[in-house]
Amino acid sequence: QVQLQESGPGLVKPSETLSLTCTVSGGPINSYYWSWIRQPPGKGLEWIGNIFYSGSTNYNPSLKSRVTMSVDTSKNQFSLKLSSVTAADAAVYYCARAQNGLWLNYWGQGTLVTVSA
Amino acid sequence: DIQMTQSPSTLSASVGDRVTITCRASQSISTWLAWYQQRPGKAPKLLIYKASSLESGVPSRFSGSGSGTEFTLTISSLQPDDFATYYCQQYNSYSLTFGGGTKVEIK
């Protein structure tokens, strides 16, 4: 059974860069698309972007200027960097597997990121 | 960008009720639509993909229909485990967008 686990700092200062890693176990990272999604407390879901195992990416246009995603197939991990964070970036961040880049069939448990000085 | 609008935003229902949630796209997305269930404090769970295909392991009381711009998720007989928030999600041109969510509450 494929499992995903997010990791990274739970507290980021305003204007700094949020960095998260998702570790995939129980299956290969190769041949799949991988996604980041976030959910501010009490609000809905927002797709951040997809990365293919080869490294090609697609980002949400509203976040594109601040987002960088990368993949490390040797570690079965993929990562998210979001620069110049503000309070509006505080959310639970989820990683997920995007079947054919289209629908999200495996999810991590999510990690809460707070933005505060 | 394609916008997804769900209705209602909140729905009150009883165990055994038939429940229908609607999702409308701002432009045609063919059948490129998925539905998710999210319980409080948990990650979303895929229920339906390609508008009407049931994800493996999901109870058959869940069904999806629609194409183009209008889609529905139906729960044929609401069970206690089904009180949750439901989201639609479209995929088009390598971009994904979620609807605002429908919270199904106990009546």
Side-chain angles (χ1 to χ4, degrees), chain A residues 19-109:
Chain A
S19 295
L20 296 173
T21 296
C22 183
T23 301
V24 180
S25 59
I29 202 166
N30 289 346
S31 304
Y32 290 100
Y33 288 87
W34 304 92
S35 297
W36 289 97
I37 305 96
R38 69 181 183 179
Q39 185 171 36
K43 296 189 178 181
L45 300 165
E46 180 179 34
W47 174 73
I48 300 171
N50 281 357
I51 185 165
F52 196 43
Y53 77 99
S54 63
S56 64
T57 55
N58 288 287
Y59 299 143
N60 185 324
S62 69
L63 298 169
K64 188 174 184 177
S65 63
R66 298 194 292 130
V67 171
T68 303
M69 295 175 63
S70 60
V71 61
D72 186 337
T73 56
S74 68
K75 295 182 179 179
N76 248 35
Q77 293 177 334
F78 62 102
S79 298
L80 168 71
K81 291 188 186 298
L82 181 67
S83 64
S84 305
V85 299
T86 69
D89 295 309
V92 174
Y93 284 75
Y94 295 100
C95 60
R97 194 179 85 176
Q99 188 71 30
N100 299 324
L102 304 175
W103 58 88
L104 306 162
N105 55 356
Y106 291 97
W107 292 68
Q109 64 186 22

XYZ file of all heavy atoms in Angstrom, chain A residues 19-109:
715
model
N 9.709 25.151 3.321
C 10.273 23.974 2.652
C 9.692 22.706 3.255
O 9.795 22.498 4.475
C 11.796 23.954 2.796
O 12.391 25.054 2.131
N 9.112 21.876 2.417
C 8.525 20.607 2.862
C 8.987 19.483 1.955
O 9.250 19.695 0.769
C 7.000 20.674 2.837
C 6.322 21.671 3.778
C 4.827 21.713 3.501
C 6.579 21.317 5.225
N 9.073 18.297 2.542
C 9.445 17.091 1.794
C 8.371 16.037 2.000
O 7.800 15.928 3.094
C 10.805 16.565 2.258
O 11.810 17.537 1.941
C 11.159 15.250 1.581
N 8.091 15.278 0.959
C 7.155 14.165 1.035
C 7.913 12.880 0.710
O 8.542 12.781 -0.354
C 6.015 14.373 0.049
S 4.735 13.087 0.117
N 7.869 11.935 1.632
C 8.521 10.649 1.441
C 7.484 9.606 1.063
O 6.477 9.442 1.769
C 9.269 10.218 2.710
O 10.249 11.213 3.033
C 9.970 8.887 2.498
N 7.736 8.917 -0.043
C 6.816 7.913 -0.562
C 7.329 6.524 -0.193
O 8.502 6.213 -0.432
C 6.693 8.028 -2.091
C 5.722 6.980 -2.636
C 6.226 9.431 -2.479
N 6.470 5.703 0.374
C 6.843 4.332 0.700
C 5.773 3.378 0.186
O 4.645 3.781 -0.072
C 7.024 4.156 2.211
O 5.839 4.473 2.895
N 6.147 2.102 0.031
C 5.187 1.098 -0.413
C 4.988 1.066 -1.913
O 4.118 0.331 -2.404
N 5.747 1.866 -2.638
C 5.608 1.903 -4.083
C 6.633 2.845 -4.680
O 7.230 3.660 -3.960
N 6.839 2.767 -5.981
C 7.875 3.596 -6.607
C 7.401 5.019 -6.839
O 6.214 5.268 -7.012
C 8.115 2.882 -7.937
C 6.780 2.291 -8.271
C 6.165 1.889 -6.953
N 8.343 5.939 -6.862
C 8.017 7.311 -7.227
C 8.039 7.454 -8.746
O 7.389 8.338 -9.316
C 8.978 8.284 -6.536
C 8.358 9.692 -6.460
C 10.335 8.304 -7.234
C 9.075 10.627 -5.523
N 8.754 6.516 -9.389
C 8.842 6.557 -10.853
C 7.485 6.291 -11.490
O 6.647 5.570 -10.933
C 9.847 5.513 -11.338
C 11.265 5.914 -11.004
O 11.536 7.049 -10.644
N 12.177 4.964 -11.098
N 7.286 6.905 -12.640
C 6.115 6.696 -13.486
C 4.859 7.406 -13.003
O 3.784 7.199 -13.568
C 5.787 5.202 -13.660
O 6.882 4.509 -14.173
N 4.972 8.220 -11.958
C 3.783 8.889 -11.449
C 3.972 10.407 -11.362
O 5.092 10.912 -11.306
C 3.413 8.357 -10.062
C 2.904 6.939 -10.091
C 3.744 5.879 -9.756
C 1.588 6.657 -10.443
C 3.282 4.571 -9.798
C 1.110 5.359 -10.472
C 1.967 4.324 -10.149
O 1.509 3.031 -10.184
N 2.828 11.095 -11.285
C 2.785 12.509 -10.956
C 2.549 12.633 -9.455
O 1.815 11.841 -8.863
C 1.640 13.222 -11.689
C 1.843 13.406 -13.167
C 1.477 12.410 -14.076
C 2.371 14.588 -13.671
C 1.645 12.576 -15.435
C 2.542 14.776 -15.041
C 2.176 13.767 -15.909
O 2.336 13.943 -17.260
N 3.133 13.674 -8.873
C 3.022 13.916 -7.437
C 2.610 15.355 -7.214
O 3.011 16.260 -7.958
C 4.356 13.593 -6.753
C 4.770 12.181 -7.055
C 5.565 11.750 -8.081
C 4.352 11.003 -6.353
N 5.662 10.386 -8.056
C 4.935 9.903 -7.012
C 3.544 10.776 -5.225
C 4.742 8.591 -6.582
C 3.358 9.470 -4.795
C 3.951 8.395 -5.473
N 1.781 15.557 -6.182
C 1.144 16.871 -6.005
C 1.344 17.408 -4.598
O 1.570 16.652 -3.643
C -0.372 16.749 -6.238
O -0.667 16.354 -7.552
N 1.232 18.727 -4.515
C 1.087 19.409 -3.234
C -0.242 20.153 -3.236
O -0.602 20.796 -4.238
C 2.230 20.388 -2.989
C 3.536 19.720 -2.702
C 4.555 19.467 -3.576
C 3.967 19.198 -1.425
N 5.585 18.828 -2.932
C 5.256 18.660 -1.612
C 3.402 19.154 -0.145
C 5.975 18.075 -0.570
C 4.116 18.570 0.880
C 5.391 18.039 0.670
N -0.961 20.058 -2.132
C -2.251 20.719 -1.931
C -2.206 21.330 -0.528
O -1.585 20.775 0.381
C -3.416 19.686 -1.986
C -3.381 18.896 -3.294
C -4.760 20.358 -1.783
C -2.668 17.552 -3.185
N -2.860 22.458 -0.361
C -2.905 23.047 0.970
C -4.326 23.409 1.373
O -5.210 23.543 0.508
C -1.996 24.266 1.064
C -2.461 25.479 0.274
C -1.450 26.620 0.438
N -1.896 27.837 -0.242
C -1.211 28.971 -0.227
N -0.056 29.049 0.409
N -1.690 30.029 -0.856
N -4.528 23.582 2.668
C -5.863 23.882 3.207
C -5.711 24.802 4.415
O -5.341 24.338 5.506
C -6.575 22.589 3.603
C -8.004 22.787 4.065
C -8.731 21.462 4.237
O -8.160 20.456 4.655
N -10.013 21.441 3.887
N -5.991 26.082 4.260
C -5.973 26.988 5.419
C -6.977 26.514 6.458
O -8.002 25.908 6.107
C -6.385 28.338 4.822
C -6.061 28.224 3.367
C -6.308 26.786 3.015
N -6.725 26.783 7.721
C -7.630 26.318 8.778
C -9.073 26.738 8.526
O -9.360 27.911 8.288
C -7.067 26.997 10.033
C -5.617 27.181 9.724
C -5.552 27.473 8.261
N -9.984 25.771 8.528
C -11.402 26.047 8.351
C -11.819 26.378 6.933
O -12.976 26.747 6.697
N -10.899 26.231 5.971
C -11.216 26.607 4.589
C -11.079 25.405 3.647
O -10.863 24.273 4.082
C -10.322 27.753 4.145
C -10.549 29.031 4.955
C -9.815 30.211 4.362
C -10.110 31.472 5.158
N -9.412 32.657 4.582
N -11.219 25.675 2.359
C -11.198 24.615 1.368
C -9.803 24.268 0.883
O -8.797 24.787 1.365
N -9.775 23.376 -0.093
C -8.521 22.851 -0.633
C -8.020 23.708 -1.791
O -8.807 24.183 -2.618
C -8.754 21.419 -1.134
C -9.225 20.421 -0.074
C -9.769 19.162 -0.738
C -8.091 20.071 0.868
N -6.710 23.876 -1.845
C -6.068 24.623 -2.947
C -4.922 23.789 -3.497
O -4.000 23.424 -2.764
C -5.558 25.978 -2.474
C -4.881 26.785 -3.580
C -4.401 28.139 -3.127
O -3.979 28.259 -1.952
O -4.423 29.082 -3.942
N -4.976 23.493 -4.788
C -3.887 22.788 -5.461
C -2.715 23.731 -5.660
O -2.896 24.862 -6.133
C -4.384 22.263 -6.804
C -3.356 21.644 -7.680
C -2.747 20.432 -7.512
C -2.822 22.174 -8.890
N -1.874 20.196 -8.546
C -1.903 21.246 -9.418
C -3.037 23.350 -9.609
C -1.190 21.447 -10.597
C -2.342 23.568 -10.791
C -1.429 22.624 -11.270
N -1.522 23.272 -5.293
C -0.317 24.082 -5.436
C 0.421 23.736 -6.726
O 0.881 24.622 -7.463
C 0.622 23.890 -4.227
C -0.086 24.295 -2.931
C 1.915 24.677 -4.418
C 0.687 23.929 -1.669
N 0.536 22.441 -7.009
C 1.230 22.054 -8.222
C 1.477 20.555 -8.294
O 1.269 19.820 -7.333
N 1.893 20.118 -9.479
C 2.245 18.721 -9.758
C 3.680 18.651 -10.220
O 4.174 19.561 -10.893
C 1.379 18.151 -10.890
C -0.007 17.738 -10.453
O -0.348 17.805 -9.281
N -0.806 17.327 -11.412
N 4.336 17.522 -9.925
C 5.640 17.233 -10.499
C 5.646 15.789 -10.967
O 5.189 14.892 -10.268
C 6.785 17.524 -9.497
C 8.136 17.322 -10.173
C 6.667 16.677 -8.225
C 9.299 17.924 -9.397
N 6.136 15.558 -12.180
C 6.304 14.210 -12.712
C 7.627 13.677 -12.188
O 8.528 14.461 -11.842
C 6.269 14.263 -14.232
C 6.064 12.940 -14.915
C 5.130 12.027 -14.457
C 6.783 12.608 -16.063
C 4.927 10.810 -15.096
C 6.590 11.397 -16.715
C 5.663 10.499 -16.231
N 7.782 12.367 -12.136
C 9.008 11.791 -11.586
C 10.242 12.229 -12.377
O 11.344 12.251 -11.853
C 8.913 10.260 -11.551
C 9.116 9.599 -12.891
C 10.345 9.049 -13.235
C 8.080 9.533 -13.817
C 10.537 8.442 -14.473
C 8.253 8.940 -15.049
C 9.489 8.395 -15.372
O 9.671 7.805 -16.597
N 10.018 12.610 -13.625
C 11.129 13.073 -14.467
C 11.578 14.492 -14.109
O 12.637 14.944 -14.546
C 10.705 13.051 -15.934
O 9.632 13.960 -16.141
N 10.731 15.195 -13.339
C 11.069 16.551 -12.925
C 10.240 17.639 -13.583
O 10.339 18.810 -13.188
N 9.424 17.294 -14.566
C 8.587 18.332 -15.195
C 7.475 18.758 -14.239
O 6.968 17.934 -13.468
C 7.996 17.832 -16.506
O 7.134 16.756 -16.286
N 7.141 20.023 -14.274
C 6.229 20.585 -13.277
C 5.073 21.363 -13.918
O 5.170 21.845 -15.046
C 6.972 21.546 -12.339
O 7.631 22.555 -13.131
C 7.995 20.815 -11.495
N 3.975 21.459 -13.164
C 2.857 22.341 -13.460
C 2.432 22.979 -12.152
O 2.215 22.265 -11.163
C 1.674 21.581 -14.073
C 1.961 21.143 -15.483
O 1.982 21.943 -16.402
N 2.200 19.857 -15.660
N 2.321 24.307 -12.156
C 2.006 25.019 -10.931
C 0.683 25.767 -11.053
O 0.273 26.178 -12.144
C 3.109 26.029 -10.594
C 4.478 25.434 -10.357
C 5.625 26.100 -10.792
C 4.648 24.229 -9.685
C 6.895 25.585 -10.563
C 5.906 23.697 -9.460
C 7.025 24.375 -9.909
O 8.280 23.851 -9.682
N 0.055 26.004 -9.896
C -1.111 26.872 -9.828
C -0.673 28.276 -10.267
O 0.270 28.831 -9.701
C -1.639 26.894 -8.394
C -2.920 27.679 -8.236
O -3.135 28.698 -8.884
N -3.773 27.201 -7.349
N -1.349 28.847 -11.258
C -0.927 30.180 -11.740
C -0.865 31.239 -10.641
O -0.015 32.135 -10.699
C -2.006 30.521 -12.774
C -2.513 29.205 -13.253
C -2.465 28.295 -12.051
N -1.734 31.103 -9.632
C -1.762 32.117 -8.577
C -0.552 32.031 -7.646
O -0.277 32.959 -6.894
C -3.053 31.978 -7.762
O -3.037 30.783 -7.010
N 0.176 30.919 -7.688
C 1.333 30.718 -6.803
C 2.629 30.534 -7.575
O 3.709 30.469 -6.973
C 1.110 29.480 -5.916
C -0.075 29.527 -4.961
C -0.314 28.153 -4.354
C 0.159 30.556 -3.862
N 2.513 30.482 -8.888
C 3.634 30.070 -9.743
C 4.921 30.846 -9.488
O 6.012 30.276 -9.506
C 3.220 30.217 -11.215
C 4.206 29.651 -12.206
C 3.649 29.695 -13.622
C 4.609 29.038 -14.599
N 4.048 29.014 -15.979
N 4.800 32.139 -9.219
C 6.006 32.969 -9.059
C 6.770 32.638 -7.779
O 7.939 33.014 -7.640
C 5.618 34.448 -9.057
O 4.793 34.739 -7.953
N 6.143 31.929 -6.845
C 6.786 31.670 -5.557
C 7.061 30.191 -5.308
O 7.661 29.839 -4.286
C 5.898 32.196 -4.412
C 5.671 33.687 -4.449
C 5.091 34.188 -3.134
N 3.733 33.728 -2.898
C 3.316 33.155 -1.777
N 4.152 32.936 -0.780
N 2.043 32.798 -1.632
N 6.620 29.310 -6.212
C 6.678 27.863 -5.975
C 7.807 27.208 -6.770
O 8.017 27.526 -7.942
C 5.346 27.195 -6.353
C 5.478 25.667 -6.314
C 4.237 27.654 -5.423
N 8.519 26.304 -6.093
C 9.466 25.422 -6.767
C 9.255 24.017 -6.230
O 9.248 23.804 -5.018
C 10.924 25.838 -6.509
O 11.108 27.197 -6.931
C 11.873 24.933 -7.288
N 9.044 23.070 -7.114
C 8.926 21.672 -6.728
C 10.079 20.895 -7.347
O 10.521 21.212 -8.462
C 7.580 21.099 -7.180
C 6.393 21.756 -6.474
S 4.786 21.207 -7.071
C 4.814 19.490 -6.641
N 10.556 19.880 -6.626
C 11.646 19.047 -7.110
C 11.406 17.605 -6.681
O 10.575 17.337 -5.802
C 12.989 19.544 -6.578
O 12.999 19.521 -5.166
N 12.118 16.675 -7.311
C 11.956 15.264 -6.996
C 13.326 14.617 -6.879
O 14.265 14.967 -7.608
C 11.087 14.553 -8.063
C 11.735 14.623 -9.430
C 10.785 13.117 -7.662
N 13.461 13.681 -5.929
C 14.682 12.912 -5.743
C 14.289 11.440 -5.806
O 13.837 10.871 -4.803
C 15.335 13.255 -4.407
C 16.695 12.589 -4.234
O 16.953 11.560 -4.899
O 17.483 13.070 -3.415
N 14.422 10.835 -6.976
C 13.978 9.455 -7.154
C 14.821 8.465 -6.346
O 14.328 7.417 -5.951
C 13.986 9.071 -8.638
O 15.295 9.302 -9.174
C 12.968 9.883 -9.421
N 16.068 8.815 -6.070
C 16.940 7.907 -5.304
C 16.471 7.769 -3.862
O 16.724 6.755 -3.210
C 18.380 8.393 -5.350
O 18.511 9.608 -4.638
N 15.786 8.799 -3.368
C 15.278 8.772 -1.993
C 13.773 8.539 -1.935
O 13.183 8.521 -0.851
C 15.614 10.088 -1.282
C 17.095 10.324 -1.076
C 17.322 11.633 -0.321
C 18.799 11.880 -0.076
N 19.037 13.167 0.633
N 13.136 8.398 -3.090
C 11.670 8.289 -3.167
C 10.999 9.478 -2.464
O 10.065 9.308 -1.676
C 11.171 6.968 -2.573
C 10.591 6.054 -3.642
O 11.066 6.031 -4.771
N 9.563 5.306 -3.287
N 11.512 10.670 -2.763
C 10.997 11.884 -2.148
C 10.738 12.965 -3.200
O 11.389 13.006 -4.250
C 12.004 12.446 -1.127
C 12.218 11.594 0.080
C 13.273 12.182 1.013
O 14.159 12.932 0.601
N 13.183 11.842 2.298
N 9.797 13.837 -2.889
C 9.639 15.054 -3.663
C 9.431 16.201 -2.693
O 9.053 15.987 -1.527
C 8.532 14.954 -4.708
C 7.141 14.711 -4.179
C 6.219 15.733 -4.093
C 6.735 13.435 -3.796
C 4.926 15.511 -3.639
C 5.454 13.195 -3.335
C 4.544 14.235 -3.249
N 9.684 17.421 -3.163
C 9.753 18.553 -2.242
C 9.026 19.775 -2.779
O 8.807 19.916 -3.979
C 11.218 18.919 -1.965
O 11.892 17.840 -1.357
N 8.707 20.658 -1.841
C 8.042 21.921 -2.140
C 8.813 23.048 -1.486
O 9.203 22.935 -0.316
C 6.611 21.905 -1.585
C 5.872 23.248 -1.563
C 5.504 23.673 -2.980
C 4.607 23.157 -0.686
N 9.030 24.104 -2.230
C 9.532 25.353 -1.661
C 8.574 26.466 -2.059
O 8.216 26.595 -3.233
C 10.947 25.665 -2.142
C 12.009 24.720 -1.614
C 13.396 25.178 -1.965
C 14.447 24.166 -1.557
N 14.476 23.932 -0.089
N 8.167 27.253 -1.078
C 7.289 28.398 -1.300
C 7.974 29.609 -0.683
O 8.182 29.665 0.538
C 5.924 28.165 -0.658
C 4.888 29.283 -0.828
C 4.471 29.416 -2.297
C 3.652 29.005 0.041
N 8.325 30.552 -1.517
C 9.103 31.695 -1.060
C 8.223 32.855 -0.595
O 7.022 32.900 -0.881
C 10.032 32.179 -2.183
O 9.262 32.646 -3.274
N 8.846 33.761 0.126
C 8.206 35.021 0.543
C 6.848 34.785 1.188
O 5.846 35.387 0.807
C 8.053 35.966 -0.660
O 9.290 36.185 -1.283
N 6.818 33.908 2.177
C 5.532 33.543 2.782
C 4.969 34.684 3.616
O 5.699 35.529 4.159
C 5.649 32.262 3.641
C 6.087 31.083 2.789
C 6.565 32.474 4.833
N 3.645 34.695 3.679
C 2.898 35.626 4.529
C 1.912 34.809 5.360
O 1.810 33.589 5.198
C 2.128 36.663 3.706
O 1.056 35.993 3.018
C 3.025 37.363 2.684
N 1.148 35.509 6.194
C 0.165 34.821 7.030
C -0.842 34.044 6.184
O -1.396 33.034 6.630
C -0.547 35.829 7.921
N -1.079 34.507 4.967
C -2.036 33.833 4.081
C -1.566 32.447 3.640
O -2.361 31.668 3.107
C -2.305 34.701 2.849
N -0.297 32.149 3.842
C 0.245 30.838 3.466
C 0.151 29.819 4.598
O 0.522 28.656 4.410
C 1.698 30.980 3.026
C 1.836 31.814 1.758
O 1.117 31.509 0.781
O 2.650 32.756 1.750
N -0.331 30.233 5.745
C -0.521 29.295 6.849
C -1.620 28.305 6.499
O -2.727 28.706 6.104
C -0.885 30.050 8.119
N -1.311 27.033 6.628
C -2.257 26.007 6.175
C -1.746 24.624 6.572
O -0.589 24.462 6.972
C -2.404 26.060 4.652
N -2.624 23.634 6.421
C -2.185 22.247 6.405
C -1.752 21.949 4.974
O -2.509 22.200 4.029
C -3.299 21.287 6.842
C -2.841 19.837 6.679
C -3.709 21.565 8.287
N -0.532 21.454 4.828
C 0.009 21.115 3.518
C -0.018 19.599 3.357
O 0.488 18.865 4.200
C 1.430 21.651 3.361
C 1.453 23.153 3.114
C 1.204 24.039 4.156
C 1.702 23.665 1.848
C 1.204 25.410 3.933
C 1.694 25.033 1.616
C 1.450 25.897 2.659
O 1.436 27.253 2.436
N -0.632 19.167 2.257
C -0.722 17.748 1.935
C 0.122 17.438 0.706
O 0.155 18.227 -0.253
C -2.158 17.349 1.602
C -3.160 17.445 2.719
C -4.037 18.535 2.818
C -3.295 16.426 3.662
C -4.979 18.615 3.816
C -4.240 16.497 4.673
C -5.072 17.592 4.739
O -6.017 17.658 5.739
N 0.738 16.261 0.712
C 1.289 15.728 -0.525
C 0.399 14.571 -0.962
O -0.286 13.936 -0.140
C 2.745 15.302 -0.374
S 3.089 14.022 0.856
N 0.380 14.317 -2.261
C -0.514 13.300 -2.796
C 0.047 12.747 -4.099
O 0.891 13.382 -4.748
C -1.906 13.887 -3.039
N -0.431 11.565 -4.479
C -0.101 11.013 -5.784
C -1.233 11.355 -6.740
O -2.402 11.083 -6.447
C 0.098 9.497 -5.728
C 0.764 8.950 -6.996
C 0.981 7.460 -6.911
N -0.220 6.728 -7.327
C -0.270 5.397 -7.418
N 0.780 4.671 -7.083
N -1.379 4.791 -7.810
N -0.877 11.911 -7.873
C -1.861 12.308 -8.873
C -1.857 11.283 -9.998
O -0.946 11.254 -10.824
C -1.541 13.695 -9.417
N -2.857 10.433 -10.008
C -2.961 9.397 -11.036
C -3.080 10.055 -12.402
O -4.015 10.839 -12.654
C -4.178 8.504 -10.761
C -4.274 7.294 -11.641
C -3.217 6.259 -11.316
O -2.771 6.150 -10.170
N -2.783 5.530 -12.318
N -2.110 9.767 -13.275
C -2.063 10.380 -14.610
C -2.060 11.912 -14.549
O -2.398 12.576 -15.530
C -3.232 9.902 -15.473
C -3.214 8.399 -15.696
O -2.157 7.791 -15.827
N -4.384 7.789 -15.697
N -1.709 12.448 -13.387
C -1.716 13.893 -13.213
C -3.098 14.483 -13.071
O -3.267 15.700 -13.107
N -4.088 13.651 -12.866
C -5.474 14.075 -12.987
C -6.276 14.015 -11.685
O -6.975 14.959 -11.357
C -6.168 13.211 -14.044
C -5.510 13.218 -15.426
C -6.194 12.239 -16.345
C -5.518 14.620 -16.014
N -6.244 12.894 -10.974
C -6.972 12.795 -9.709
C -6.051 12.236 -8.642
O -5.077 11.544 -8.923
C -8.245 11.952 -9.862
C -8.039 10.563 -10.346
C -7.782 9.452 -9.582
C -8.083 10.093 -11.697
N -7.656 8.341 -10.372
C -7.837 8.701 -11.680
C -8.317 10.717 -12.916
C -7.820 7.935 -12.838
C -8.284 9.954 -14.073
C -8.046 8.580 -14.022
N -6.347 12.554 -7.388
C -5.425 12.345 -6.280
C -5.864 11.132 -5.478
O -6.811 11.209 -4.683
C -5.393 13.609 -5.420
C -5.065 14.872 -6.234
C -5.455 16.135 -5.480
C -3.599 14.901 -6.590
N -5.198 10.002 -5.675
C -5.688 8.761 -5.077
C -4.943 8.310 -3.834
O -5.400 7.392 -3.154
C -5.767 7.643 -6.121
C -4.458 7.394 -6.853
O -3.474 8.089 -6.656
N -4.464 6.382 -7.704
N -3.806 8.902 -3.541
C -3.117 8.625 -2.288
C -2.677 9.951 -1.689
O -2.117 10.795 -2.398
C -1.896 7.718 -2.491
C -2.242 6.308 -2.887
C -2.224 5.922 -4.223
C -2.609 5.363 -1.928
C -2.551 4.634 -4.599
C -2.938 4.071 -2.305
C -2.903 3.714 -3.633
O -3.226 2.437 -3.992
N -2.924 10.116 -0.392
C -2.632 11.370 0.289
C -1.776 11.106 1.530
O -1.922 10.077 2.196
C -3.922 12.036 0.760
C -4.821 12.537 -0.314
C -5.533 11.789 -1.219
C -5.156 13.900 -0.589
N -6.267 12.601 -2.043
C -6.063 13.911 -1.667
C -4.783 15.121 -0.017
C -6.587 15.091 -2.203
C -5.304 16.291 -0.535
C -6.205 16.275 -1.612
N -0.928 12.081 1.865
C -0.288 12.077 3.161
C -1.270 12.552 4.215
O -2.383 12.988 3.906
N -0.856 12.495 5.467
C -1.746 12.888 6.563
C -1.832 14.404 6.717
O -2.732 14.906 7.375
C -1.269 12.273 7.875
C 0.103 12.775 8.326
C 0.604 12.040 9.560
O 0.180 10.914 9.861
N 1.511 12.664 10.293
